[in-house]
Amino acid sequence: MDTRRRFRDLAELDAHLIDCRACPRLVEWREQVTREKRRAFADQEYWGRPVPGLGPADARLLIVGLAPAAHGGNRTGRMFTGDQSGDFLFSAMYLAGLVNQPHSVAMDDGLELFGTRITAPVHCAPPQNKPTVEERDRCSYWLHGELELLAPTVRSVITLGVFGWQSALRTFGALGWTVPRPAPKFGHGASTILTRGDATLEVFGCYHVSQHNTFTGRLTVDMLVEVLQRAAESAGVRRPGE
């Protein structure tokens, strides 16, 4: 991987990202899953590659998750698409006015994001949904590139879970943004302000939309909608027609 490369735009970055084979364990796992399919999807062709970010290149709000699910994004090729975590996220985004429909089942289902982009610190599905520190650091190449390309327009960030929170703050710091010291602690509804020159960026914490959190009630739709609305207001995202 050429760490000196500078991409012209997100389309070019995504085109290179989906061919990445930098992490042997993740490559082996994502491809194994495409062969040993879940019975419910046995007749489907799995994506089985790194999953690029989703949303417009001039997004004002960015959502940073953990990693694609083995039978979700790794199957459909689109972030948070085709699993229960994605169903929860997109239903809340619909209520917050950030997407055009409350469901996301396939890459061609007509989903449209309004002023919002979704990405992850790790773009391949990891075994047990747990990437290693080395895999996170290796994949940060792509997050660095994506956040720098989004810098002219993004004004707020929602991090899903402590992994997303730490990865986002670490990456923004590496890109020259001033992160408060001591480092802000993650918490649901927590927020912090980053600066770079005259630009400001508000980062929000939110519990991850994992089934563990949503099934136990630790994270409810109302809780997620509240954070989405706060971040959208901070970023100046408007529904179409407003």
Side-chain angles (χ1 to χ4, degrees):
M1 182 184 298
D2 183 359
T3 56
R4 297 168 298 176
R5 185 183 183 93
R6 294 295 180 267
F7 297 100
R8 292 170 297 178
D9 52 35
L10 285 172
E12 183 184 27
L13 182 146
D14 289 345
H16 284 79
L17 180 152
I18 63 174
D19 290 329
C20 182
R21 301 182 66 84
C23 300
R25 187 182 78 115
L26 298 187
V27 171
E28 180 181 4
W29 172 248
R30 79 192 191 205
E31 293 180 353
Q32 178 182 335
V33 172
T34 68
R35 297 188 300 271
E36 300 172 2
K37 304 176 183 180
R38 183 170 288 173
R39 182 176 300 177
F41 310 124
D43 63 338
Q44 298 184 20
E45 181 177 352
Y46 275 51
W47 173 257
R49 290 183 281 175
V51 180
L54 167 66
D58 60 351
R60 297 184 66 84
L61 168 60
L62 179 66
I63 299 174
V64 181
L66 174 56
H71 301 279
N74 188 58
R75 171 174 60 89
T76 63
R78 197 169 71 184
M79 287 284 175
F80 285 103
T81 297
D83 61 26
Q84 290 179 311
S85 294
D87 293 342
F88 191 93
L89 174 62
F90 287 115
S91 65
M93 291 182 69
Y94 180 74
L95 293 172
L98 298 176
V99 292
N100 66 327
Q101 60 192 40
H103 55 80
S104 176
V105 297
M107 194 181 292
D108 58 356
D109 65 6
L111 181 73
E112 181 181 358
L113 280 68
F114 304 137
T116 306
R117 185 172 172 90
I118 301 173
T119 192
V122 177
H123 286 269
C124 291
Q128 289 81 49
N129 293 320
K130 295 180 180 179
T132 66
V133 172
E134 292 77 12
E135 289 161 351
R136 178 205 66 191
D137 291 347
R138 199 173 294 122
C139 203
S140 68
Y141 168 79
W142 301 108
L143 188 61
H144 278 231
E146 188 168 11
L147 296 189
E148 188 63 6
L149 288 167
L150 288 166
T153 59
V154 164
R155 292 297 172 262
S156 71
V157 179
I158 296 174
T159 63
L160 299 178
V162 66
F163 189 92
W165 175 268
Q166 293 174 346
S167 296
L169 293 182
R170 182 183 300 107
T171 303
F172 281 118
L175 291 172
W177 291 83
T178 299
V179 180
R181 291 288 182 267
K185 292 184 178 181
F186 171 79
H188 182 81
S191 67
T192 189
I193 301 292
L194 312 185
T195 59
R196 189 172 72 172
D198 295 332
T200 61
L201 187 70
E202 189 164 11
V203 180
F204 295 84
C206 178
Y207 290 144
H208 197 278
V209 291
S210 66
Q211 292 182 39
H212 173 74
N213 286 339
T214 60
F215 286 0
T216 61
R218 187 178 190 225
L219 178 65
T220 66
V221 170
D222 288 344
M223 290 169 64
L224 179 52
V225 170
E226 181 183 12
V227 175
L228 289 167
Q229 290 176 333
R230 286 174 59 201
E233 182 178 358
S234 176
V237 175
R238 298 288 181 266
R239 301 180 189 223
E242 289 186 349

